[in-house]
Amino acid sequence: INGETMTVNAPGDWHAYTRREPVGVVGQIIPWNFPLSMLAWKVGPALAAGCTIVLKPAEQTPLGALYFGKLVQEAGFPEGVVNILTGFGETVGAAMAAHPDIDKVAFTGSTEVGRLIARAATGNLKKVSLELGGKAPTIVLGDADIDMAVAGASSAAFFNAGQSCGAGTRFFVHKKIYDKVMSGIAARAEKLKLGAGLDPATELGPVVSQQQMERITRLISEGRSDGAEIVTGGGRAGDVGYFVKPTVISRTRPDMSVIREEIFGPVACAMPFDDEDLDKLAKDANDTEYGLAASIWTNNLGTAHRLAAKIKSGTVWVNCHNFNDVTMPFGGFKQSGWGRELGEQALQLYTETKTVAIRLP
């Protein structure tokens, strides 16, 4: 990991450069929705930067991380370089965030817990990176390829049963194609095959727990009570397992809880628009405390660039959604977090910059 050399403005002859040095002991707390991917996103750059790691997997999904710990031992890592620590967030996670011998904490999870970690980290002013919640707008403009937009928006909402921080959960669809797009998404939702994750035919698995299922169905019920229209889905699927029907909600308003809160389930809420004013559209899309991701569906490249510049989110996808690559930084604006994972910026999360200035004789 390279530093830089600088030409000094001060009088005299100088040789000045920077070094990127490991931040030290890193506490990493990963979520349950993509347990192995999130482990890789965290562990890889921290090790590359030369840090040692205390990793806490989510209490719902500890087994993958424990198996990774076994592989670390088999690979011959020096003792203490990678440490796997299981437990609950309110005890183990809180202790890691507050521990004076941890130099940095990296967390992926809810915005609510992110705030708690940020407060706990003030004890020794440890560095903190946070990848938090989202409420991504999916903006379908009037000139969009309807078939592509229907397929993409459906995937944006229902991928991983909606249990993704970048899930496209707020559909803004131009009025002239609204009915076609909505009927297409509803038809796709109704055809999705629900089932166990190990069944190759399954297209939509269960949500992670009964608590999560009850929260999702509660928010759907609140939307119905607030006057929204349930286009399809609308509750639990069956009475065995934690399955939620893929749900599309229309006639929503910005003040509804289904629009304001991160549902983290297979639920999409739609709002038509008929104004070509990109500033107004961006204002509505940005009307959320979150700013993690967004997608724009259009065949007009100029419109895509102009609107992308106005959206307040860490990632804007055009004619795609949930596309990530190891070269592309990922993180959020506003209450979606601090810092960026992936790309070169991921290495910066785990290093300190040291400046060295040498006065030459």
Side-chain angles (χ1 to χ4, degrees):
I1 301 174
N2 297 320
E4 298 177 337
T5 59
M6 287 135 293
T7 301
V8 175
N9 294 316
D13 295 324
W14 296 86
H15 176 51
Y17 63 93
T18 60
R19 293 168 48 89
R20 304 290 303 195
E21 299 185 355
V23 73
V25 180
V26 177
Q28 299 181 322
I29 303 172
I30 57 176
W32 47 259
N33 57 335
F34 297 101
L36 284 178
S37 294
M38 295 297 97
L39 182 151
W41 283 28
K42 294 277 192 293
V43 169
L47 288 177
C51 297
T52 56
I53 297 167
V54 180
L55 177 79
K56 190 196 92 65
E59 54 264 31
Q60 298 92 337
T61 53
L63 297 184
L66 290 171
Y67 189 79
F68 172 76
K70 178 184 176 183
L71 296 178
V72 164
Q73 290 179 319
E74 292 180 5
F77 275 54
E79 186 173 337
V81 171
V82 176
N83 309 274
I84 312 296
L85 186 62
T86 61
F88 289 92
E90 57 266 30
T91 52
V92 176
M96 288 172 61
H99 200 288
D101 289 335
I102 288 181
D103 302 295
K104 177 204 163 53
V105 63
F107 170 75
T108 295
S110 71
T111 296
E112 178 185 8
V113 175
R115 294 191 189 101
L116 296 175
I117 288 174
R119 284 196 287 269
T122 60
N124 67 338
L125 292 180
K126 61 171 58 68
K127 294 184 178 298
V128 177
S129 58
L130 305 168
E131 199 262 272
L132 307 177
K135 194 74 177 173
T138 302
I139 304 169
V140 184
L141 295 164
D143 68 338
D145 181 311
I146 292 178
D147 291 339
M148 180 188 292
V150 166
S154 300
S155 176
F158 305 135
F159 169 66
N160 205 43
Q163 298 170 123
S164 169
C165 51
T169 55
R170 293 182 298 141
F171 293 172
F172 296 87
V173 184
H174 196 283
K175 191 173 183 179
K176 72 179 184 181
I177 59 171
Y178 184 83
D179 290 342
K180 287 184 178 180
V181 170
M182 294 308 297
S183 62
I185 293 171
R188 279 180 168 265
E190 290 165 2
K191 292 177 181 177
L192 288 174
K193 178 175 174 53
L194 278 64
L198 295 179
D199 183 348
T202 293
E203 296 175 299
L204 190 77
V207 296
V208 70
S209 65
Q210 180 173 342
Q211 179 184 15
Q212 184 69 10
M213 179 187 70
E214 291 174 350
R215 181 179 185 277
I216 295 166
T217 53
R218 171 182 61 79
L219 285 166
I220 294 172
S221 297
E222 288 179 5
R224 183 185 284 112
S225 299
D226 289 340
E229 175 191 358
I230 308 299
V231 178
T232 189
R236 183 178 184 179
D239 55 7
V240 177
Y242 306 133
F243 293 92
V244 177
K245 297 176 183 176
T247 300
V248 179
I249 304 177
S250 187
R251 296 181 183 175
T252 58
R253 300 188 310 272
D255 62 327
M256 292 181 174
S257 59
V258 290
I259 294 294
R260 308 309 305 177
E261 296 188 35
E262 184 179 34
I263 299 176
F264 228 64
V267 181
C269 301
M271 293 159 279
F273 69 91
D274 58 6
D275 195 335
E276 302 292 343
D277 184 348
L278 296 186
D279 288 327
K280 172 65 166 58
L281 182 56
K283 181 179 178 182
D284 291 341
N286 293 333
D287 185 19
T288 172
E289 68 183 26
Y290 300 108
L292 186 62
S295 64
I296 300 167
W297 301 81
T298 179
N299 280 320
N300 188 314
L301 186 59
T303 298
H305 281 303
R306 286 194 293 271
L307 187 54
K310 299 175 187 295
I311 300 296
K312 296 183 184 299
S313 69
T315 297
V316 179
W317 294 293
V318 178
N319 293 335
C320 61
H321 200 104
N322 279 328
F323 171 71
N324 293 305
D325 187 86
V326 293
T327 63
M328 296 165 46
F330 186 80
F333 287 21
K334 298 188 284 187
Q335 295 187 44
S336 286
W338 297 341
R340 295 292 182 269
E341 296 190 300
L342 303 181
E344 182 182 354
Q345 293 188 32
L347 294 173
Q348 297 173 7
L349 292 180
Y350 297 103
T351 55
E352 294 271 27
T353 301
K354 175 184 288 182
T355 301
V356 180
I358 305 172
R359 185 161 190 161
L360 301 177

